[in-house]
C-alpha cells in the first residue's frame, strides 16, 4: 500500500493507513484518508473482523486431500463412498479420511473393521470420526500397527473389542495413535496448496483471524505460505503438549511472532468428547486423558516458561480438574490468559470460580446445535448447565467463540445464530442464549483478548489493525485484513441484469 485506503459505502466508513492500521472510523474517515486515497466501495455494516478462537487448520486442509465423509447419512453410504475412493488407490495404498458420524445414521452402532475391509478392498484404512476422538480402522491397518487380541488398551485410550475379544475396528482417544503414526503424509507442496484453499475458504466466511490447534506440520505450511505471499487471515498457533519441552528449550514465549503468524498457548486434552462418550463427568463416566499430577505439572511449567495454556475440557469433571490446576497460578505472569477449550458442561458450583481465577471460556456455540440430542441422551441431568454461554457470561467469565472446524462448520454466522436465537427457536434452555452484541464481542474482542491481541484487534478504533468483516442481509460482503481485501463477494451480476430487463411475458 502506498496510499491510505478508504472503505466507503459501509456503515461506518473506515480509513486505513499505509501500515494497515485504522486511521479513522465514521465521520472523519474521508478526510483522514485524504483525496488521493484508494477507495474500496462496499455496502452493509462494517464489524470488527471476526476471529475464530478454535480451529484445526490441518483438518481443514486434509479435507481437500483425503476422503471427506462429512454429512454422510448412513453406514451404507459411507461404505459405498469408501469403496469408490479406494478403487482409485494402489492395492496397498492407505485409505485416509475423516468426517463419519454414526450418531447421525439410522443405526448409530459404531461400524466394524469387517465392513471396512470389504469396502477398502483389504487396504489399510484410517478414518477419523467427525469429532476426532475415535477412528475406524481396517484389519490391514491393525496388522501393520501390531494391534491384536492381546494388545492392552493404552493409557487414556481404548481398543474396542468384539464378542470374541478381537479388535473390532474402533480405536478411541490415545489408541488412535497406534495407527495414526503409520499413516503417510502428503508432500509439503500438496499440503500447502490444500492449506491455501482452506485459508481462502475461511476468509470467504468473513474470518480475519483464527486460533489454530494444530501441529508443527501445519505451522511449517503457514510459514511457507507466508513466504510465498500474504496470508488471507491472521493465525495464532497453539502448540500441542508434546512440543512443550521443545518450546521450553528454545525459550519461546506466548506472543512470539508477528500479527500475521504467532505462537500462543500449549494445548492439552484433559478428556475426550461427548459424541465419543469420553467426556469426563463428575458422575465418574468418561475418560481422563491427562491425569491430575501431569496436568498440574504442565500448568506449572507453562506458567514458568511464560506460555499460555489451552486446556481441552468438555465434561464437568474435566472442567473442574482444569480449574483446580489453574487456581494457584492466578498471577502467573503479565500475559497469563489461561483458557479452557469447549467447557461444554460446567457444574454450577464451578461457574463463579471460573470467573474469579480469570479463566477464558473458549466455546463453540455450533456444538450445541449438533449435540443437543446427545446431551438429552447422555447428559439428561446436566443439560441445564451445558453450553451455558449466558450463565458463564453473567458470572463474569470472558468468552471467546469459535467453531472447532472441521468438526463443525467454520461459518461464524452459524455460530452467532446458535448463540443468540437458536435456543429459543429450538425450545432448548433459551435462558442460556446470549445477546447478539455479546456473541459478536466473543467473536471479536473476546477472541482477541484470549490471545493477548486486544490492543491490536477486536474493535474498530484508530491505531488498531484494520481488520473488518462487512456484512449485509445476504451475508458477508467483504473481508479486510490489515487494510487489504482478502475476500470480496461477487456482485450478483446476472440476477441484477435480468431483474432490470423488461419481461417479455407477464
Ligand atoms: Zn478442537
Amino acid at each position: 500500500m502506498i496510499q491510505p485506503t478508504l472503505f466507503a459505502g459501509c456503515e461506518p466508513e473506515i480509513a486505513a493507513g499505509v501500515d494497515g492500521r485504522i486511521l479513522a472510523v465514521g465521520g472523519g474517515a474521508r478526510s483522514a484518508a485524504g483525496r488521493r486515497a484508494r477507495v474500496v466501495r462496499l455496502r452493509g455494516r462494517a464489524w470488527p473482523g471476526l476471529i475464530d478462537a478454535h480451529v484445526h487448520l490441518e483438518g481443514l486442509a486434509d479435507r481437500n486431500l483425503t476422503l471427506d465423509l462429512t454429512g454422510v447419512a448412513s453406514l451404507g453410504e459411507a461404505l459405498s463412498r469408501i469403496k469408490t475412493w479406494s478403487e482409485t488407490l494402489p492395492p496397498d495404498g492407505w485409505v485416509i479420511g475423516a468426517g463419519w458420524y454414526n450418531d447421525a445414521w439410522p443405526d448409530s452402532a459404531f461400524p466394524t473393521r469387517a465392513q471396512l475391509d470389504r469396502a477398502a478392498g483389504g487396504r489399510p484404512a484410517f478414518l477419523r470420526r467427525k469429532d476426532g476422538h475415535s477412528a475406524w480402522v481396517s484389519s490391514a491397518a491393525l496388522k501393520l500397527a501390531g494391534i491384536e487380541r492381546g494388545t492392552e488398551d493404552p493409557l487414556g485410550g481404548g481398543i474396542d473389542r468384539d464378542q470374541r475379544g478381537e479388535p473390532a475396528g474402533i480405536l478411541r482417544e490415545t489408541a488412535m495413535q497406534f495407527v495414526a503414526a503409520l499413516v503417510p503424509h502428503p508432500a509439503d507442496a500438496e499440503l500447502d496448496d490444500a492449506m491455501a484453499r482452506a485459508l481462502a475458504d475461511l476468509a470467504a466466511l468473513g474470518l480475519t483471524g483464527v486460533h489454530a490447534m494444530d501441529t508443527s506440520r501445519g505451522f511449517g505450511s503457514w510459514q511457507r505460505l507466508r513466504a510465498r505471499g500474504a496470508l488471507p487471515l491472521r493465525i495464532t498457533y497453539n502448540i500441542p503438549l508434546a512440543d512443550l519441552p521443545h518450546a521450553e528449550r528454545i525459550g519461546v514465549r506466548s506472543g512470539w511472532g508477528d500479527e500475521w503468524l504467532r505462537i500462543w498457548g500449549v494445548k492439552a486434552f484433559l478428556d475426550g468428547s461427548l459424541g465419543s462418550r469420553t467426556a469426563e463427568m463428575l458422575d465418574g463416566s468418561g475418560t481422563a486423558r491427562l491425569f491430575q499430577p501431569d496436568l498440574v505439572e504442565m500448568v506449572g511449567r507453562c506458567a514458568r516458561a511464560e506460555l499460555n495454556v489451552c486446556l481441552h475440557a468438555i465434561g464437568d469433571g474435566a472442567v473442574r480438574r482444569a480449574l483446580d490446576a489453574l487456581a494457584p497460578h492466578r498471577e502467573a505472569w503479565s500475559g497469563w490468559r489461561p483458557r479452557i477449550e469447549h467447557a461444554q458442561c460446567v457444574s454450577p458450583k464451578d461457574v463463579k470460580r471460573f470467573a474469579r481465577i480469570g479463566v477464558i471460556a473458549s466455546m463453540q456455540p455450533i456444538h450445541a446445535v449438533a449435540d443437543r440430542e446427545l446431551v438429552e441422551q447422555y447428559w439428561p441431568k446436566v443439560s441445564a448447565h451445558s453450553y451455558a454461554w449466558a450463565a458463564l457470561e453473567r458470572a463474569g467469565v470472558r468468552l471467546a467463540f469459535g467453531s472447532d472446524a472441521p468438526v463443525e462448520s467454520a461459518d461464524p454466522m452459524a455460530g452467532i445464530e446458535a448463540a443468540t436465537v437458536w435456543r429459543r427457536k429450538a425450545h432448548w434452555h433459551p435462558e442460556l442464549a446470549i445477546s447478539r452484541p455479546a456473541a459478536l464481542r466473543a467473536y471479536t474482542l473476546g477472541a482477541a483478548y484470549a490471545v493477548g491481541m486486544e490492543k491490536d484487534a477486536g474493535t474498530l478504533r484508530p491505531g488498531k489493525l484494520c481488520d473488518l468483516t462487512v456484512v449485509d442481509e445476504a451475508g458477508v460482503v467483504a473481508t479486510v485484513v490489515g487494510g487489504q481485501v482478502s475476500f470480496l463477494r461477487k456482485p450478483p451480476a446476472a440476477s441484477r441484469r435480468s431483474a432490470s430487463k423488461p419481461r417479455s411475458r407477464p
Side-chain angles (χ1 to χ4, degrees):
M1 257 193 303
I2 46 158
Q3 70 250 59
T5 306
L6 177 69
F7 295 96
C10 47
E11 173 53 40
E13 294 190 324
I14 292 166
V18 294
D19 60 355
R21 288 183 180 259
I22 295 173
L23 284 173
V25 179
R30 282 173 184 252
S31 60
R35 245 177 298 156
R36 296 186 47 221
R38 180 173 73 110
V39 178
V40 179
R41 295 231 132 257
L42 299 169
R43 51 197 219 92
R45 283 207 66 87
W47 292 347
L50 297 176
I51 301 162
D52 189 318
H54 189 119
V55 290
H56 302 274
L57 294 178
E58 288 169 81
L60 287 169
D62 283 340
R63 282 222 300 208
N64 294 329
L65 289 172
T66 58
L67 176 59
D68 181 10
L69 294 170
T70 306
V72 161
S74 67
L75 173 62
E77 190 190 337
L79 291 170
S80 89
R81 294 271 302 277
I82 294 164
K83 186 163 186 289
T84 311
W85 175 271
S86 301
E87 281 163 2
T88 66
L89 300 171
D92 59 347
W94 275 83
V95 180
I96 307 162
W100 59 275
Y101 187 51
N102 53 310
D103 281 314
W105 297 346
D107 175 3
S108 66
F110 274 82
T112 68
R113 78 183 151 100
Q115 293 158 340
L116 183 53
D117 290 347
R118 279 192 293 278
R123 292 176 181 83
F126 180 78
L127 302 166
R128 269 181 212 277
R129 194 173 185 272
K130 174 179 125 157
D131 61 7
H133 287 267
S134 47
W136 181 15
V137 295
S138 65
S139 301
L142 288 164
K143 188 152 183 251
L144 287 170
I147 301 176
E148 44 186 41
R149 199 190 171 85
T151 309
E152 274 178 42
D153 286 352
L155 215 57
I159 302 164
D160 282 19
R161 327 260 169 176
D162 61 21
Q163 290 105 324
R164 292 167 303 144
E166 299 288 338
I170 296 293
L171 304 177
R172 293 176 196 258
E173 305 296 343
T174 56
M176 289 189 288
Q177 204 41 44
F178 289 141
V179 175
L182 306 175
V183 171
H185 285 310
D188 287 351
E190 253 183 294
L191 171 64
D192 294 353
D193 287 346
M195 185 66 78
R197 268 187 286 155
L199 297 179
D201 290 345
L202 294 175
L205 292 173
L207 293 167
T208 59
V210 293
H211 304 171
M213 309 294 167
D214 282 278
T215 70
S216 57
R217 176 176 164 250
F219 189 42
S221 180
W222 311 323
Q223 291 174 73
R224 288 189 297 272
L225 289 175
R226 173 91 194 273
R228 231 159 76 175
L231 293 172
L233 41 70
R234 307 181 192 282
I235 303 172
T236 298
Y237 174 42
N238 298 293
I239 67 171
L241 176 55
D243 289 344
L244 171 58
H246 308 292
E248 289 172 318
R249 284 189 66 171
I250 62 174
V252 66
R253 297 165 67 247
S254 280
W256 190 87
D258 59 23
E259 300 110 29
W260 289 98
L261 183 54
R262 55 206 281 284
I263 289 180
W264 188 249
V266 179
K267 163 100 185 281
F269 287 93
L270 272 58
D271 68 344
S273 78
L274 169 57
S276 280
R277 333 281 186 257
T278 48
E280 182 193 351
M281 302 299 289
L282 288 170
D283 67 10
S285 62
T287 309
R289 262 177 76 165
L290 184 65
F291 297 113
Q292 200 63 6
D294 299 326
L295 172 62
V296 166
E297 193 212 318
M298 174 231 173
V299 172
R301 281 169 65 180
C302 289
R304 273 195 299 281
E306 303 200 338
L307 283 162
N308 271 291
V309 292
C310 305
L311 303 177
H312 166 117
I314 291 204
D316 51 10
V319 169
R320 179 165 294 173
R321 288 204 295 118
L323 295 174
D324 288 346
L326 292 169
H329 294 280
R330 258 198 85 170
E331 310 287 338
W333 59 288
S334 59
W336 183 240
R337 303 277 161 86
R339 317 168 28 151
I340 293 182
E341 304 300 317
H342 313 305
Q344 284 175 9
C345 187
V346 183
S347 163
K349 289 195 184 119
D350 288 324
V351 170
K352 285 232 171 65
R353 184 164 72 127
F354 209 123
R356 199 170 55 239
I357 57 181
V359 179
I360 296 155
S362 165
M363 304 178 80
Q364 303 76 36
I366 197 71
H367 274 313
V369 179
D371 291 356
R372 179 193 172 161
E373 280 172 33
L374 290 174
V375 171
E376 297 299 351
Q377 192 179 350
Y378 297 104
W379 290 355
K381 294 204 187 94
V382 293
S383 71
H385 324 299
S386 298
Y387 313 84
W389 317 300
L392 291 163
E393 192 207 20
R394 268 196 299 274
V397 176
R398 287 176 191 268
L399 301 176
F401 278 172
S403 67
D404 207 10
V407 179
E408 298 296 340
S409 157
D411 183 357
M413 301 307 164
I416 292 168
E417 160 96 10
T420 54
V421 295
W422 169 77
R423 280 185 178 271
R424 191 165 22 88
K425 285 191 203 156
H427 304 287
W428 199 50
H429 303 289
E431 73 283 0
L432 295 177
I434 59 172
S435 70
R436 200 171 161 81
L440 264 180
R441 201 157 52 239
Y443 270 107
T444 53
L445 193 58
Y449 179 86
V451 287
M453 285 187 78
E454 72 279 3
K455 291 201 179 82
D456 286 313
T459 52
L460 300 181
R461 289 252 175 79
K464 282 198 171 187
L465 297 165
C466 185
D467 293 358
L468 314 173
T469 305
V470 184
V471 295
D472 68 5
E473 322 76 57
V476 176
V477 175
T479 310
V480 174
V481 187
Q484 299 287 347
V485 175
S486 60
F487 167 75
L488 194 59
R489 187 168 77 205
K490 284 198 192 78
S495 62
R496 201 181 294 158
R497 222 175 293 137
S498 65
S500 59
K501 231 189 271 170
R503 291 200 183 152
S504 51
R505 254 172 245 167

